[in-house]
PDB file of all heavy atoms in Angstrom:
ATOM      1  N   VAL R  99      63.775  84.703 118.085  1.00 77.00           N
ATOM      2  CA  VAL R  99      63.638  85.502 119.359  1.00 77.00           C
ATOM      3  C   VAL R  99      62.422  84.947 120.127  1.00 77.00           C
ATOM      4  O   VAL R  99      62.558  84.868 121.360  1.00 77.00           O
ATOM      5  CB  VAL R  99      63.523  86.979 119.107  1.00 77.00           C
ATOM      6  CG1 VAL R  99      62.199  87.450 118.643  1.00 77.00           C
ATOM      7  CG2 VAL R  99      63.935  87.761 120.305  1.00 77.00           C
ATOM      8  N   MET R 100      61.463  84.571 119.500  1.00 79.00           N
ATOM      9  CA  MET R 100      60.232  83.963 120.175  1.00 79.00           C
ATOM     10  C   MET R 100      60.561  82.538 120.768  1.00 79.00           C
ATOM     11  O   MET R 100      60.103  82.156 121.736  1.00 79.00           O
ATOM     12  CB  MET R 100      58.991  83.886 119.369  1.00 79.00           C
ATOM     13  CG  MET R 100      58.551  85.338 118.940  1.00 79.00           C
ATOM     14  SD  MET R 100      58.390  86.552 120.350  1.00 79.00           S
ATOM     15  CE  MET R 100      57.156  85.662 121.301  1.00 79.00           C
ATOM     16  N   MET R 101      61.410  81.782 119.957  1.00 80.00           N
ATOM     17  CA  MET R 101      61.667  80.489 120.362  1.00 80.00           C
ATOM     18  C   MET R 101      62.638  80.431 121.541  1.00 80.00           C
ATOM     19  O   MET R 101      62.737  79.399 122.300  1.00 80.00           O
ATOM     20  CB  MET R 101      62.317  79.659 119.216  1.00 80.00           C
ATOM     21  CG  MET R 101      62.518  78.229 119.464  1.00 80.00           C
ATOM     22  SD  MET R 101      63.113  77.225 118.086  1.00 80.00           S
ATOM     23  CE  MET R 101      61.595  77.037 117.094  1.00 80.00           C
ATOM     24  N   MET R 102      63.333  81.532 121.722  1.00 80.00           N
ATOM     25  CA  MET R 102      64.197  81.643 122.991  1.00 80.00           C
ATOM     26  C   MET R 102      63.281  82.188 124.096  1.00 80.00           C
ATOM     27  O   MET R 102      63.384  81.740 125.243  1.00 80.00           O
ATOM     28  CB  MET R 102      65.310  82.520 122.727  1.00 80.00           C
ATOM     29  CG  MET R 102      66.157  82.886 124.039  1.00 80.00           C
ATOM     30  SD  MET R 102      66.777  81.365 124.889  1.00 80.00           S
ATOM     31  CE  MET R 102      68.207  80.950 123.767  1.00 80.00           C
ATOM     32  N   ALA R 103      62.359  83.154 123.812  1.00 80.00           N
ATOM     33  CA  ALA R 103      61.571  83.756 124.930  1.00 80.00           C
ATOM     34  C   ALA R 103      60.649  82.919 125.584  1.00 80.00           C
ATOM     35  O   ALA R 103      60.583  82.900 126.778  1.00 80.00           O
ATOM     36  CB  ALA R 103      60.795  84.957 124.233  1.00 80.00           C
ATOM     37  N   VAL R 104      59.921  82.089 124.807  1.00 86.00           N
ATOM     38  CA  VAL R 104      58.995  81.116 125.433  1.00 86.00           C
ATOM     39  C   VAL R 104      59.568  80.144 126.435  1.00 86.00           C
ATOM     40  O   VAL R 104      59.166  80.032 127.576  1.00 86.00           O
ATOM     41  CB  VAL R 104      58.084  80.503 124.356  1.00 86.00           C
ATOM     42  CG1 VAL R 104      57.142  79.456 125.047  1.00 86.00           C
ATOM     43  CG2 VAL R 104      57.202  81.480 123.628  1.00 86.00           C
ATOM     44  N   PRO R 105      60.595  79.407 126.006  1.00 86.00           N
ATOM     45  CA  PRO R 105      61.235  78.466 126.973  1.00 86.00           C
ATOM     46  C   PRO R 105      61.826  79.247 128.145  1.00 86.00           C
ATOM     47  O   PRO R 105      61.818  78.697 129.271  1.00 86.00           O
ATOM     48  CB  PRO R 105      62.357  77.806 126.142  1.00 86.00           C
ATOM     49  CG  PRO R 105      61.946  77.929 124.767  1.00 86.00           C
ATOM     50  CD  PRO R 105      61.222  79.309 124.670  1.00 86.00           C
ATOM     51  N   THR R 106      62.410  80.447 127.938  1.00 85.00           N
ATOM     52  CA  THR R 106      62.992  81.167 129.102  1.00 85.00           C
ATOM     53  C   THR R 106      61.868  81.491 130.097  1.00 85.00           C
ATOM     54  O   THR R 106      62.111  81.368 131.255  1.00 85.00           O
ATOM     55  CB  THR R 106      63.635  82.475 128.496  1.00 85.00           C
ATOM     56  OG1 THR R 106      64.652  82.110 127.624  1.00 85.00           O
ATOM     57  CG2 THR R 106      64.223  83.277 129.711  1.00 85.00           C
ATOM     58  N   LEU R 107      60.694  81.905 129.585  1.00 88.00           N
ATOM     59  CA  LEU R 107      59.570  82.193 130.464  1.00 88.00           C
ATOM     60  C   LEU R 107      59.169  80.954 131.186  1.00 88.00           C
ATOM     61  O   LEU R 107      58.910  80.996 132.397  1.00 88.00           O
ATOM     62  CB  LEU R 107      58.377  82.726 129.694  1.00 88.00           C
ATOM     63  CG  LEU R 107      57.083  82.867 130.404  1.00 88.00           C
ATOM     64  CD1 LEU R 107      57.176  83.949 131.569  1.00 88.00           C
ATOM     65  CD2 LEU R 107      55.999  83.337 129.442  1.00 88.00           C
ATOM     66  N   LEU R 108      59.115  79.809 130.505  1.00 91.00           N
ATOM     67  CA  LEU R 108      58.634  78.523 131.090  1.00 91.00           C
ATOM     68  C   LEU R 108      59.672  78.074 132.087  1.00 91.00           C
ATOM     69  O   LEU R 108      59.213  77.431 133.139  1.00 91.00           O
ATOM     70  CB  LEU R 108      58.487  77.525 130.058  1.00 91.00           C
ATOM     71  CG  LEU R 108      57.327  77.731 129.099  1.00 91.00           C
ATOM     72  CD1 LEU R 108      57.259  76.649 127.931  1.00 91.00           C
ATOM     73  CD2 LEU R 108      56.018  77.768 129.859  1.00 91.00           C
ATOM     74  N   VAL R 109      60.947  78.247 131.955  1.00 89.00           N
ATOM     75  CA  VAL R 109      61.961  77.897 132.997  1.00 89.00           C
ATOM     76  C   VAL R 109      61.604  78.706 134.229  1.00 89.00           C
ATOM     77  O   VAL R 109      61.690  78.188 135.291  1.00 89.00           O
ATOM     78  CB  VAL R 109      63.389  78.230 132.429  1.00 89.00           C
ATOM     79  CG1 VAL R 109      64.346  78.128 133.642  1.00 89.00           C
ATOM     80  CG2 VAL R 109      63.787  77.194 131.422  1.00 89.00           C
ATOM     81  N   GLY R 110      61.196  79.940 134.088  1.00 91.00           N
ATOM     82  CA  GLY R 110      60.958  80.815 135.226  1.00 91.00           C
ATOM     83  C   GLY R 110      59.707  80.421 136.039  1.00 91.00           C
ATOM     84  O   GLY R 110      59.596  80.760 137.224  1.00 91.00           O
ATOM     85  N   VAL R 111      58.780  79.651 135.408  1.00 93.00           N
ATOM     86  CA  VAL R 111      57.609  79.224 136.136  1.00 93.00           C
ATOM     87  C   VAL R 111      57.630  77.741 136.341  1.00 93.00           C
ATOM     88  O   VAL R 111      56.665  77.042 136.877  1.00 93.00           O
ATOM     89  CB  VAL R 111      56.352  79.569 135.434  1.00 93.00           C
ATOM     90  CG1 VAL R 111      56.316  81.166 135.336  1.00 93.00           C
ATOM     91  CG2 VAL R 111      56.275  78.933 134.022  1.00 93.00           C
ATOM     92  N   LEU R 112      58.711  77.015 136.007  1.00 93.00           N
ATOM     93  CA  LEU R 112      58.737  75.526 136.035  1.00 93.00           C
ATOM     94  C   LEU R 112      58.699  74.980 137.437  1.00 93.00           C
ATOM     95  O   LEU R 112      59.484  75.448 138.352  1.00 93.00           O
ATOM     96  CB  LEU R 112      60.032  75.083 135.333  1.00 93.00           C
ATOM     97  CG  LEU R 112      60.144  73.608 134.950  1.00 93.00           C
ATOM     98  CD1 LEU R 112      59.108  73.251 133.946  1.00 93.00           C
ATOM     99  CD2 LEU R 112      61.624  73.322 134.441  1.00 93.00           C
ATOM    100  N   PRO R 113      57.818  74.018 137.789  1.00 94.00           N
ATOM    101  CA  PRO R 113      57.852  73.402 139.108  1.00 94.00           C
ATOM    102  C   PRO R 113      59.150  72.650 139.320  1.00 94.00           C
ATOM    103  O   PRO R 113      59.787  72.169 138.438  1.00 94.00           O
ATOM    104  CB  PRO R 113      56.669  72.339 138.988  1.00 94.00           C
ATOM    105  CG  PRO R 113      55.819  72.878 137.860  1.00 94.00           C
ATOM    106  CD  PRO R 113      56.722  73.526 136.932  1.00 94.00           C
ATOM    107  N   THR R 114      59.540  72.604 140.531  1.00 90.00           N
ATOM    108  CA  THR R 114      60.891  71.958 140.875  1.00 90.00           C
ATOM    109  C   THR R 114      60.751  70.429 141.101  1.00 90.00           C
ATOM    110  O   THR R 114      59.612  69.951 141.130  1.00 90.00           O
ATOM    111  CB  THR R 114      61.526  72.652 142.136  1.00 90.00           C
ATOM    112  OG1 THR R 114      60.596  72.374 143.238  1.00 90.00           O
ATOM    113  CG2 THR R 114      61.664  74.144 141.935  1.00 90.00           C
ATOM    114  N   HIS R 115      61.851  69.826 141.370  1.00 88.00           N
ATOM    115  CA  HIS R 115      61.789  68.389 141.687  1.00 88.00           C
ATOM    116  C   HIS R 115      61.058  68.074 142.938  1.00 88.00           C
ATOM    117  O   HIS R 115      60.333  67.093 142.965  1.00 88.00           O
ATOM    118  CB  HIS R 115      63.275  67.924 141.925  1.00 88.00           C
ATOM    119  CG  HIS R 115      63.388  66.441 142.011  1.00 88.00           C
ATOM    120  ND1 HIS R 115      63.168  65.708 143.216  1.00 88.00           N
ATOM    121  CD2 HIS R 115      63.764  65.444 141.105  1.00 88.00           C
ATOM    122  CE1 HIS R 115      63.379  64.425 143.027  1.00 88.00           C
ATOM    123  NE2 HIS R 115      63.689  64.278 141.763  1.00 88.00           N
ATOM    124  N   ALA R 116      61.024  68.991 143.889  1.00 88.00           N
ATOM    125  CA  ALA R 116      60.213  68.765 145.083  1.00 88.00           C
ATOM    126  C   ALA R 116      58.793  68.748 144.833  1.00 88.00           C
ATOM    127  O   ALA R 116      57.991  68.198 145.561  1.00 88.00           O
ATOM    128  CB  ALA R 116      60.566  69.838 146.109  1.00 88.00           C
ATOM    129  N   GLN R 117      58.342  69.346 143.749  1.00 91.00           N
ATOM    130  CA  GLN R 117      56.941  69.511 143.479  1.00 91.00           C
ATOM    131  C   GLN R 117      56.370  68.502 142.552  1.00 91.00           C
ATOM    132  O   GLN R 117      55.276  67.922 142.648  1.00 91.00           O
ATOM    133  CB  GLN R 117      56.616  70.841 142.901  1.00 91.00           C
ATOM    134  CG  GLN R 117      56.891  72.029 143.809  1.00 91.00           C
ATOM    135  CD  GLN R 117      56.906  73.430 143.101  1.00 91.00           C
ATOM    136  OE1 GLN R 117      57.651  73.683 142.174  1.00 91.00           O
ATOM    137  NE2 GLN R 117      56.043  74.335 143.645  1.00 91.00           N
ATOM    138  N   ILE R 118      57.201  68.088 141.445  1.00 91.00           N
ATOM    139  CA  ILE R 118      56.664  67.135 140.468  1.00 91.00           C
ATOM    140  C   ILE R 118      57.719  66.015 140.168  1.00 91.00           C
ATOM    141  O   ILE R 118      57.462  65.262 139.273  1.00 91.00           O
ATOM    142  CB  ILE R 118      56.322  67.890 139.168  1.00 91.00           C
ATOM    143  CG1 ILE R 118      57.587  68.592 138.527  1.00 91.00           C
ATOM    144  CG2 ILE R 118      55.195  68.834 139.345  1.00 91.00           C
ATOM    145  CD1 ILE R 118      57.316  69.136 137.107  1.00 91.00           C
ATOM    146  N   GLY R 119      58.787  65.912 141.030  1.00 87.00           N
ATOM    147  CA  GLY R 119      59.675  64.794 140.890  1.00 87.00           C
ATOM    148  C   GLY R 119      60.592  64.875 139.682  1.00 87.00           C
ATOM    149  O   GLY R 119      60.885  66.005 139.217  1.00 87.00           O
ATOM    150  N   VAL R 120      60.935  63.719 139.124  1.00 85.00           N
ATOM    151  CA  VAL R 120      61.859  63.686 138.010  1.00 85.00           C
ATOM    152  C   VAL R 120      61.371  64.404 136.718  1.00 85.00           C
ATOM    153  O   VAL R 120      62.177  64.806 135.931  1.00 85.00           O
ATOM    154  CB  VAL R 120      62.291  62.199 137.749  1.00 85.00           C
ATOM    155  CG1 VAL R 120      61.092  61.540 137.028  1.00 85.00           C
ATOM    156  CG2 VAL R 120      63.515  62.185 136.853  1.00 85.00           C
ATOM    157  N   THR R 121      60.078  64.591 136.628  1.00 89.00           N
ATOM    158  CA  THR R 121      59.525  65.295 135.506  1.00 89.00           C
ATOM    159  C   THR R 121      60.057  66.696 135.363  1.00 89.00           C
ATOM    160  O   THR R 121      60.310  67.242 134.304  1.00 89.00           O
ATOM    161  CB  THR R 121      57.941  65.399 135.654  1.00 89.00           C
ATOM    162  OG1 THR R 121      57.422  64.107 135.761  1.00 89.00           O
ATOM    163  CG2 THR R 121      57.408  66.025 134.401  1.00 89.00           C
ATOM    164  N   ALA R 122      60.422  67.278 136.495  1.00 88.00           N
ATOM    165  CA  ALA R 122      61.003  68.667 136.532  1.00 88.00           C
ATOM    166  C   ALA R 122      62.324  68.644 135.787  1.00 88.00           C
ATOM    167  O   ALA R 122      62.640  69.596 134.909  1.00 88.00           O
ATOM    168  CB  ALA R 122      61.124  69.114 137.861  1.00 88.00           C
ATOM    169  N   ALA R 123      63.214  67.601 135.981  1.00 87.00           N
ATOM    170  CA  ALA R 123      64.480  67.535 135.357  1.00 87.00           C
ATOM    171  C   ALA R 123      64.290  67.355 133.822  1.00 87.00           C
ATOM    172  O   ALA R 123      65.044  67.917 132.993  1.00 87.00           O
ATOM    173  CB  ALA R 123      65.289  66.425 135.962  1.00 87.00           C
ATOM    174  N   VAL R 124      63.348  66.447 133.518  1.00 88.00           N
ATOM    175  CA  VAL R 124      63.127  66.135 132.057  1.00 88.00           C
ATOM    176  C   VAL R 124      62.663  67.423 131.342  1.00 88.00           C
ATOM    177  O   VAL R 124      63.115  67.734 130.274  1.00 88.00           O
ATOM    178  CB  VAL R 124      62.019  65.055 131.937  1.00 88.00           C
ATOM    179  CG1 VAL R 124      61.601  64.931 130.453  1.00 88.00           C
ATOM    180  CG2 VAL R 124      62.498  63.704 132.543  1.00 88.00           C
ATOM    181  N   LEU R 125      61.737  68.125 131.999  1.00 90.00           N
ATOM    182  CA  LEU R 125      61.259  69.410 131.369  1.00 90.00           C
ATOM    183  C   LEU R 125      62.311  70.386 131.208  1.00 90.00           C
ATOM    184  O   LEU R 125      62.356  71.158 130.190  1.00 90.00           O
ATOM    185  CB  LEU R 125      60.032  69.967 132.186  1.00 90.00           C
ATOM    186  CG  LEU R 125      58.804  69.135 132.124  1.00 90.00           C
ATOM    187  CD1 LEU R 125      57.748  69.705 133.098  1.00 90.00           C
ATOM    188  CD2 LEU R 125      58.238  69.134 130.657  1.00 90.00           C
ATOM    189  N   MET R 126      63.213  70.502 132.202  1.00 87.00           N
ATOM    190  CA  MET R 126      64.323  71.487 132.111  1.00 87.00           C
ATOM    191  C   MET R 126      65.211  71.188 130.981  1.00 87.00           C
ATOM    192  O   MET R 126      65.637  72.017 130.210  1.00 87.00           O
ATOM    193  CB  MET R 126      65.135  71.498 133.438  1.00 87.00           C
ATOM    194  CG  MET R 126      66.290  72.374 133.401  1.00 87.00           C
ATOM    195  SD  MET R 126      65.995  74.159 133.300  1.00 87.00           S
ATOM    196  CE  MET R 126      65.487  74.512 134.870  1.00 87.00           C
ATOM    197  N   VAL R 127      65.541  69.930 130.740  1.00 86.00           N
ATOM    198  CA  VAL R 127      66.434  69.520 129.674  1.00 86.00           C
ATOM    199  C   VAL R 127      65.680  69.792 128.312  1.00 86.00           C
ATOM    200  O   VAL R 127      66.365  70.310 127.366  1.00 86.00           O
ATOM    201  CB  VAL R 127      66.776  68.008 129.722  1.00 86.00           C
ATOM    202  CG1 VAL R 127      67.549  67.531 128.506  1.00 86.00           C
ATOM    203  CG2 VAL R 127      67.683  67.777 131.006  1.00 86.00           C
TER     204      VAL R 127
END
Side-chain angles (χ1 to χ4, degrees):
V99 77
M100 296 311 297
M101 188 175 280
M102 175 57 78
V104 173
T106 301
L107 172 63
L108 292 177
V109 168
V111 299
L112 195 63
T114 64
H115 187 278
Q117 296 169 305
I118 60 173
V120 71
T121 305
V124 173
L125 289 174
M126 176 64 79
V127 172

